[in-house]
Amino acid sequence: MISLLIATRNAHKTREFAGLLGPEFVLEDLRSHPHLAEVVEDGATFAANARIKALAVSRQLPGLVLADDSGLEVDSLGGAPGVFSARYAGLGATDEANRRKLLAELAKRGPDAARTARFRCALVLARDGHVLAICEGSVAGEIVRQARGSAGFGYDPLFQPNGLSETFAELSPVVKNAISHRGCALTKLKPLLPAGDIPK
Ligand code: ITT
């Protein structure tokens, strides 16, 4: 069994990692460590923010720490919401408020605005304040005109991956994980995860 601390307070991310990593991993996340101060995510990129989270947590807690920074880039919004995905409609915004804002911003661009978009994910693995690995993944698709589906979280009901006619929120977790930005990034990182392969 490999113990891994996911440096997130987002239970949806932890649930996806559990599905992706399988039963040989014992996962914990920051909900078990409520005393840890909130990390300021002021990086300009997903990788920079994932690094900030991984380092801050791994300096305070022992063992392997995995941080995920992720979000949605919409082409006709100049890449927004990007690193601001979690707080697009303001600090502490709900997923629904963020989705409403995204549709409103796209509507302002007119009916012919491109709806192409991609989810991106950066994963940083760290231990004792040192970065061990950085892996990134992305998945391309388009923003649908009306939210569809109730699975997943965040912008899932608005995102239809290329080649499929369902949104991420209409797909089973197994199918989403197989093609998602998080799944792609983790596929690259997973071979490095068995504790024995990572130099102390
Ligand atoms: P932590 O920083 O504690 O990990 P967070 O939710 O604030 O939690 P991020 O700063 O990485 O994490 O923001 C990610 C946001 O991007 C997330 O809240 C969603 O709005 C969106 N997002 C990322 N991955 C997603 C996915 O698989 N499906 C839908 N939305 C996603």
Side-chain angles (χ1 to χ4, degrees):
M1 296 292 246
I2 300 168
S3 296
L4 191 57
L5 175 63
I6 312 288
T8 186
R9 289 191 166 82
N10 184 330
H12 301 284
K13 288 185 182 176
T14 307
R15 195 187 54 223
E16 290 194 1
F17 281 117
L20 284 160
L21 287 166
E24 74 267 35
F25 286 82
V26 182
L27 301 188
E28 185 184 37
D29 66 21
L30 297 183
R31 289 171 300 161
S32 319
H33 299 276
H35 59 282
L36 284 194
E38 196 94 22
V39 179
V40 180
E41 297 177 34
D42 55 3
T45 62
F46 297 116
N49 280 335
R51 193 168 190 279
I52 289 169
K53 291 189 258 194
L55 288 179
V57 172
S58 75
R59 283 187 189 116
Q60 297 177 74
L61 295 172
L64 283 176
V65 171
L66 179 65
D68 165 313
D69 201 73
S70 46
L72 182 67
E73 294 177 346
V74 180
D75 292 326
S76 57
L77 300 179
V83 292
F84 302 105
S85 291
R87 48 195 149 123
Y88 193 38
L91 262 187
T94 63
D95 285 349
E96 202 193 334
N98 286 332
R99 291 195 295 267
R100 260 202 314 271
K101 168 146 180 167
L102 185 72
L103 288 180
E105 292 298 321
L106 265 175
K108 286 186 202 162
R109 302 305 195 271
D112 297 329
R115 303 186 75 90
T116 49
R118 72 206 54 75
F119 272 120
R120 283 193 192 281
C121 174
L123 298 178
V124 172
L125 185 70
R127 186 168 46 204
D128 300 332
H130 298 286
V131 170
L132 303 174
I134 304 176
C135 293
E136 299 194 59
S138 69
V139 55
E142 64 178 56
I143 304 302
V144 298
R145 290 179 192 274
Q146 271 195 336
R148 300 197 319 257
S150 54
F153 69 103
Y155 299 92
D156 280 345
L158 294 180
F159 183 82
Q160 184 171 301
N162 288 345
L164 293 182
S165 51
E166 296 92 358
T167 66
F168 264 178
E170 294 176 307
L171 296 172
S172 71
V174 170
V175 175
K176 178 185 171 186
N177 282 342
I179 58 174
S180 79
H181 50 314
R182 188 162 293 110
C184 294
L186 196 64
T187 298
K188 297 177 194 167
L189 191 80
K190 202 173 170 185
L192 308 172
L193 275 175
D197 292 356
I198 295 170
K200 285 259 180 202

